[in-house]
Amino acid sequence: MPEIDFLVVGGGAAGWSCATTLRQLGAEGSVVLVGRELDAPYDRTLCSKSYLAGTAADADALLAPLQDIELLTATSVMGLDLGDRTVRLSDKRTLSFGQVCLATGANVRRLQLAGGGLEGVHYLRTLRNAAAIRKDLADAERIVLVGGSYIAAEVAATLTSLGRRCTLVMQEAAPFERTLGPTAAAFFQQLLDANGITLHPQDEVVRLEGPGDRVTSVVTARGRRLPADAVIIGAGVMPDVSVAKRAGLALGPTGGVLVDECLRASVPGVFAAGDICEYADPLRGRQLRRVEHWDVAIQQGRTAARGMVGEPTPHDAVPYFFSDLADWASLEYVGFGGTADTEVVRGSIADSAFSVFYLQDGRLSGTLTIGRGEDLDHARALLRDGGDLSTFTAELAEPDHDLRALAKEARPVSESIKVVQVASGVSADPLPPASPVESYGQAPQQWICENCGFIFDVAEGDPDGGVAPGTAFADLPDDWVCPVCGATKSQFGPY
Ligand SMILES: Cc1cc2nc3c(=O)[nH]c(=O)nc-3n(C[C@H](O)[C@H](O)[C@H](O)COP(=O)(O)OP(=O)(O)OC[C@H]3O[C@@H](n4cnc5c(N)ncnc54)[C@H](O)[C@@H]3O)c2cc1C
């Protein structure tokens, strides 16, 4: 008998959800959740919102207490031996286990900047980070935020509403441009600007300066010197696959743990969920997908738990995320991200009550909504059906048109959805090509060639290979190869 029947590694959203669901499903035997952080599982999404603002206390952030589950906080899994099924913990114990779910989440991408180690320079991932920022900013007035996506924008909004003067430096032409496209980006640019945030688009930080140990200014590529009492960097995250990699599990093209549609990894009895999970999405012909959203982590924890109790179930939820910019705007999104050749706006942008339907080749890839939550369920149905909407854009744009009827009218796009079993380590079909990472935050900006170590930097592109600076890795031509060793795109992972 193993000492632990069900081992869950990582005490974030996915780990908490998996452990909780195991008990709800009547799992028999011991369930142990091992988490490296000091805190019991908490709602990470509050770290840039109410917890940072000081309106939510530590206790408010905690998720529901675990029932009949052993929680080890401040404990790391140092190694997994998937041959003899043992886990090595940082408290020096080695224990045997039966099934395991890996939910080790992601780490922030740290920028290699001169002055990056100065006091007053922060990254935000954990509740403790948020508490430290809150404390450090008690007397700070001018804050520089680095990044054009969710973390930087949310933090700028939160701190501005607390009376700080915020300046945002981003590579994009407008906030959220990379993930939400030009229509929404223009809306958010106007929103942040109207609320007093200074925006410096199409620029980037090159150095942080201070006469002493503390940062006092930020120098940008365009030659700006911005005064700063503190700097908060939101430059995206990278999946934390160190345990998975050492254990010999297969990784996917975006660097996550490769799993099939039931979230089974390349070794039997091993599952993955949350930010590290790169799964074969049954809703889109097993396209590989890795998503960094709260709700997806919760849902995947549930799917993994089902598999662990012997009820493997395809993970067929349409990805969903939300974001709040102070009390200025709340956005919600359902869908698969990636590129869109058409944006259809429904409702009124001027009244902050609109949805954007993103179409690629006539097919809905996602829907963003601000103030029109009623569109989301219909969008979900349209995304599931996968019908061709290219001749229905006028109806989509008409705020009163019945989207339910549209879901019936749209012609289904036929595709064969086959089940691929990665768990055996042998797949009848080769896994499908990677899709872009759908990230709550920026997609990775640097990609490393696993073969020779060459780093592809999105900002620089590959001019000799005909790739313009700023081209997303996902948008590189399929026949693009590593300029150093000739390795294909699939041999690159996020750096
Ligand atoms: C500030 C902030 C705000 C966000 N806001 C939103 C939002 O509004 N909407 C949204 O959809 N998403 C949001 N997100 C993203 C969302 O929080 C993540 O997608 C989600 O938390 C991922 O859950 P996870 O369980 O996969 O990973 P995590 O939450 O990162 O949890 C993984 C845990 O595993 C632990 N761990 C790692 N390695 C080990 C090990 N070897 N041993 C033991 N433990 C280990 C880590 O310490 C961590 O506690 C936000 C993220 C941040 C940082």
Side-chain angles (χ1 to χ4, degrees):
M1 286 288 286
E3 287 154 296
I4 302 171
D5 295 291
F6 300 96
L7 172 66
V8 183
V9 185
W16 172 85
S17 157
C18 178
T20 308
T21 307
L22 281 167
R23 281 295 177 232
Q24 286 165 353
L25 293 173
E28 286 180 12
S30 55
V31 179
V32 176
L33 176 59
V34 185
R36 162 167 86 184
E37 294 187 53
L38 300 177
D39 300 286
Y42 59 87
D43 185 344
R44 195 175 296 286
T45 70
L46 302 185
C47 294
S48 48
K49 307 178 185 78
S50 53
Y51 186 80
L52 184 64
T55 53
D58 285 39
D60 301 325
L62 294 179
L63 298 176
L66 299 164
Q67 307 286 344
D68 195 17
I69 292 162
E70 187 179 354
L71 171 65
L72 302 176
T73 53
T75 308
S76 291
V77 163
M78 308 301 287
L80 283 177
D81 186 326
L82 296 177
D84 64 8
R85 308 290 286 191
T86 54
V87 55
R88 198 159 43 81
L89 301 175
S90 53
D91 64 11
K92 307 267 187 268
R93 285 186 293 165
T94 297
L95 301 170
S96 59
F97 64 88
Q99 312 257 341
V100 61
C101 175
L102 291 178
T104 48
N107 295 320
V108 295
R109 197 168 76 87
R110 292 185 177 269
L111 300 183
Q112 300 303 314
L113 289 173
L118 288 169
E119 285 171 23
V121 179
H122 298 274
Y123 290 85
L124 175 56
R125 181 73 191 172
T126 65
L127 205 63
R128 296 301 113 209
N129 296 150
I133 293 173
R134 225 161 60 179
K135 193 165 166 216
D136 190 48
L137 266 53
D139 299 321
E141 197 194 333
R142 295 157 310 179
I143 322 291
V144 174
L145 290 305
V146 181
S149 201
Y150 300 91
I151 299 292
E154 281 188 1
V155 171
T158 300
L159 296 178
T160 301
S161 65
L162 294 177
R164 306 297 196 285
R165 280 199 282 151
C166 291
T167 300
L168 204 143
V169 181
M170 61 188 153
Q171 293 171 329
E172 298 89 331
F176 303 132
E177 189 193 35
R178 284 183 187 146
T179 43
L180 298 179
T183 308
F187 169 82
F188 289 114
Q189 179 164 29
Q190 201 275 332
L191 180 76
L192 297 186
D193 185 55
N195 282 284
I197 296 172
T198 305
L199 302 175
H200 291 304
Q202 293 180 315
D203 201 353
E204 59 185 36
V205 174
V206 290
R207 146 170 115 251
L208 305 171
E209 292 180 342
D213 292 341
R214 190 169 178 97
V215 68
T216 54
S217 58
V218 170
V219 179
T220 76
R222 287 179 179 264
R224 295 184 172 100
R225 176 167 275 104
L226 306 168
D229 301 321
V231 175
I232 300 167
I233 300 174
V237 296
M238 292 177 303
D240 184 345
V241 290
S242 45
V243 170
K245 212 168 173 176
R246 282 200 303 273
L249 292 172
L251 301 184
T254 75
V257 176
L258 189 63
V259 294
D260 69 2
E261 53 265 72
C262 299
L263 311 190
R264 295 173 286 208
S266 53
V267 171
V270 182
F271 296 76
D275 285 2
I276 60 162
C277 174
E278 193 157 339
Y279 72 108
D281 185 352
L283 289 179
R284 283 293 184 272
R286 296 170 24 237
Q287 192 178 23
L288 288 183
R289 196 177 297 294
R290 193 172 67 73
V291 189
E292 294 164 358
H293 305 334
W294 177 262
D295 183 67
V296 174
I298 296 280
Q299 303 275 355
Q300 288 184 339
R302 290 183 189 139
T303 303
R306 283 191 201 103
M308 290 168 88
V309 297
E311 298 167 14
T313 311
H315 185 78
D316 63 357
V318 177
Y320 163 84
F321 80 79
F322 59 92
S323 174
D324 296 326
L325 297 174
D327 58 1
W328 313 337
S330 291
L331 68 90
E332 293 179 278
Y333 174 95
V334 287
F336 307 104
T339 54
D341 54 31
T342 307
E343 295 185 354
V344 180
V345 177
R346 182 181 177 89
S348 164
I349 295 179
D351 295 336
S352 300
F354 66 98
S355 299
V356 183
F357 289 81
Y358 301 92
L359 303 182
Q360 177 67 42
D361 300 324
R363 198 177 194 196
L364 192 63
S365 60
T367 300
L368 161 76
T369 190
I370 292 168
R372 283 188 60 93
E374 68 271 21
D375 287 345
L376 279 191
D377 278 345
H378 302 309
R380 263 194 201 97
L382 289 166
L383 285 156
R384 272 187 182 284
D385 293 352
D388 184 354
L389 293 167
S390 48
T391 55
F392 294 100
T393 52
E395 287 85 347
L396 269 183
E398 168 54 51
D400 296 326
H401 189 91
D402 184 357
L403 288 180
R404 240 175 321 210
L406 200 58
K408 289 196 193 110
E409 288 170 62
R411 186 172 49 86
V413 176
S414 68
E415 70 181 6
S416 61
I417 298 181
K418 286 179 256 160
V419 172
V420 63
Q421 168 60 281
V422 186
S424 63
V426 207
S427 164
D429 301 320
L431 281 164
S435 65
V437 180
E438 291 155 44
S439 166
Y440 180 88
Q442 297 173 347
Q445 295 302 296
Q446 290 179 314
W447 295 73
I448 186 164
C449 174
E450 306 277 359
N451 194 37
C452 72
F454 166 77
I455 293 166
F456 172 81
D457 191 316
V458 169
E460 291 168 13
D462 174 21
D464 293 340
V467 176
T471 305
F473 189 81
D475 293 338
L476 290 177
D478 287 342
D479 58 357
W480 181 82
V481 292
C482 173
V484 175
C485 70
T488 60
K489 260 178 85 173
S490 64
Q491 287 170 272
F492 277 69
Y495 178 57

